[in-house]
Amino acid sequence: LNCSAMEGKLDMNKAITLNGAGFVSAGGSLSFRRSVSTRSVRTRSVVKMSSGGKPYDLLVYGATGATGKKTAQYLLKNAPPELKWGIAGRSLEKLEQVREELKGSVEGGETLDIGIVVGSGETSDEVAKAARVVATTAGPYGEFGEPLVKACVENQADYLDLTGEPNFMQRMIETYGKQAEENNVTILHGCGFDSIPSDLGTLFLVEEAKKEFQCGLSAVTTVVEEARGGLGSGTIASIVRAGGDPDSLDPYGLQKDYPDPEKVTESFPDLFGVQHVPEIDMYGIPFFLSAVNCRVVRRSASIFASERPTQSIKTNGSDAYCSSRFLYKEFLGLKSKTSAYVGSAIVGGLFVGIGLALKSSTLRDMLYNGIINNGWKPKEKM
């Protein structure tokens, strides 16, 4: 059974698990036609809140950046009145400027109480002590993320981020996973386009297959028909940094804490080639986020298939993805075979060229410092 052959709409009003790192409640719907295509995915509050009488339910860390500011704007317009939230970062002056912009963006905003918490950047304890949940948009996470993860684990604050850096995810799992479990803290990575549609889309298909056909899935293919968006400085800097890490292309990089992950999941070349998807008569070419998404889904499959007694993962009745090795593939879909081969050659050439260029540590450092210092921002509207 392949997800691309299914049509319909799946109800997301249930508790689900993301990346095996924690639990979140999802509201809304995952709509798809001929392939998983997230038209609207809307999240509510995190299922569990840390106790301790903290002044804020939620803090947006990195609110002075483009993504953090848009997150705060969304909360301003959509957060329930009872949710006590605020913005956080390292510069009081910049945070105050963002607060005034937020207040000026809505009618009657001058009376709004939007709190500010300033973190030192070295320990981030001030932020974690002030909130039950910290959502950080401050990347690249491999460079700046660990102090906040550490602070949240030690101060019992749940942590959410937008990272698309598998090596960072694995390092945090290995370093803080056990302590987070002991402190009843959720560390939840990849809460953006990478990798919610891929991970949740696969999970819902697994659950629907078990419900409708009483079987698991041996393979899922996601075909992205349309995607819009921009790359900010943090995203580009993350790509540059990954170019110098030999482990960044390890297909099982997020399963290092599971014995023999290749016996549970099957790797597929993430970046190259053209694949015909007969169920929808489309041709798949490399999708640049598949390098992240495939690893995240493979980790989820390993968690579901694991029989280790230390893993108390809520599976909503789906105790395994399949009875044999699970294969996940992800492509950008094109209808023309010719266009697919041309597109694959272009994308593959770009990957190879960028990869070779980033092997030079001098060039990597120049690009990284230039991107971070200049603060490349995505377009406000796409």
Side-chain angles (χ1 to χ4, degrees):
L1 182 62
N2 187 296
C3 74
S4 300
M6 300 179 68
E7 297 186 17
K9 194 171 187 177
L10 300 179
D11 183 12
M12 290 177 65
N13 291 303
K14 60 178 77 175
I16 47 82
T17 181
L18 290 172
N19 300 352
F23 304 99
V24 69
S25 177
S29 63
L30 174 68
S31 303
F32 62 95
R33 181 187 62 80
R34 296 170 47 179
S35 62
V36 175
S37 173
T38 53
R39 301 291 197 268
S40 61
V41 176
R42 179 170 55 85
T43 60
R44 291 188 307 216
S45 58
V46 175
V47 170
K48 73 180 185 62
M49 290 287 196
S50 304
S51 59
K54 296 184 177 182
Y56 296 99
D57 296 313
L58 172 66
L59 281 176
V60 179
Y61 185 82
T64 58
T67 306
K69 192 179 298 184
K70 292 187 78 67
T71 303
Q73 289 170 344
Y74 180 87
L75 287 169
L76 184 64
K77 297 176 181 178
N78 297 280
E82 65 273 15
L83 183 72
K84 180 68 174 178
W85 66 276
I87 55 177
R90 292 179 291 176
S91 169
L92 176 60
E93 181 180 355
K94 291 182 179 179
L95 287 169
E96 288 177 336
Q97 181 179 346
V98 170
R99 178 166 62 183
E100 292 309 308
E101 291 177 9
L102 291 171
K103 287 185 175 183
S105 66
V106 295
E107 185 176 353
E110 64 275 1
T111 63
L112 293 176
D113 179 21
I114 302 175
I116 288 178
V117 177
V118 180
S120 66
E122 297 178 359
T123 64
S124 299
D125 283 343
E126 303 91 340
V127 176
K129 288 178 179 179
R132 296 176 177 180
V133 179
V134 178
T136 173
T137 63
Y141 296 92
E143 187 80 7
F144 303 116
E146 185 169 357
L148 186 56
V149 174
K150 183 175 186 292
C152 286
V153 171
E154 293 178 347
N155 294 283
Q156 294 185 300
D158 293 333
Y159 168 97
L160 315 174
D161 68 26
L162 297 172
T163 185
E165 304 162 69
N167 292 352
F168 169 74
M169 299 181 197
Q170 184 61 34
R171 192 169 81 244
M172 295 304 97
I173 292 168
E174 293 173 350
T175 306
Y176 302 106
K178 184 177 180 180
Q179 186 181 0
E181 185 178 356
E182 292 172 349
N183 290 352
N184 196 30
V185 170
T186 294
I187 302 174
L188 193 57
H189 298 301
C191 299
F193 188 55
D194 47 336
S195 302
I196 283 181
S198 304
D199 208 19
L200 296 195
T202 302
L203 176 62
F204 282 117
L205 289 168
V206 168
E207 293 188 336
E208 288 297 303
K210 185 165 185 177
K211 183 191 303 181
E212 296 295 329
F213 306 105
Q214 293 76 52
C215 71
L217 297 181
S218 61
V220 168
T221 298
T222 297
V223 178
V224 180
E225 294 186 63
E226 180 182 353
R228 293 180 297 170
L231 300 179
S233 59
T235 301
I236 299 172
S238 298
I239 295 172
V240 171
R241 276 293 187 228
D245 191 337
D247 292 333
S248 61
L249 293 180
D250 181 358
Y252 302 108
L254 275 178
Q255 298 163 265
K256 292 180 179 178
D257 50 335
Y258 285 87
D260 301 321
E262 68 275 7
K263 292 183 179 179
V264 178
T265 60
E266 183 176 352
S267 174
F268 184 85
D270 297 328
L271 301 179
F272 302 102
V274 174
Q275 292 291 316
H276 182 230
V277 186
E279 295 87 349
I280 57 175
D281 194 24
M282 294 186 75
Y283 295 88
I285 68 170
F287 179 54
F288 77 100
L289 287 179
S290 66
V292 179
N293 297 335
C294 289
R295 286 155 178 75
V296 168
V297 175
R298 288 182 194 125
R299 176 173 178 82
S300 294
S302 290
I303 290 171
F304 277 79
S306 174
E307 296 180 354
R308 293 192 303 172
T310 57
Q311 290 291 330
S312 55
I313 301 297
K314 295 180 181 178
T315 62
N316 298 325
S318 298
D319 53 3
Y321 272 32
C322 57
S323 57
S324 60
R325 292 200 302 171
F326 178 76
L327 172 63
Y328 178 78
K329 299 181 288 185
E330 186 167 300
F331 304 112
L332 181 64
L334 297 173
K335 293 187 178 297
S336 167
K337 185 176 182 179
T338 301
S339 298
Y341 276 99
V342 172
S344 178
I346 293 173
V347 174
L350 284 173
F351 280 132
V352 171
I354 293 171
L356 291 175
L358 294 181
K359 285 185 177 295
S360 167
S361 59
T362 302
L363 181 58
R364 280 200 313 274
D365 291 341
M366 288 177 58
L367 286 171
Y368 180 84
N369 292 329
I371 291 166
I372 292 298
N373 293 334
N374 292 319
W376 183 337
K377 297 180 180 179
K379 296 179 181 178
E380 285 296 313
K381 293 183 179 180
M382 290 291 173

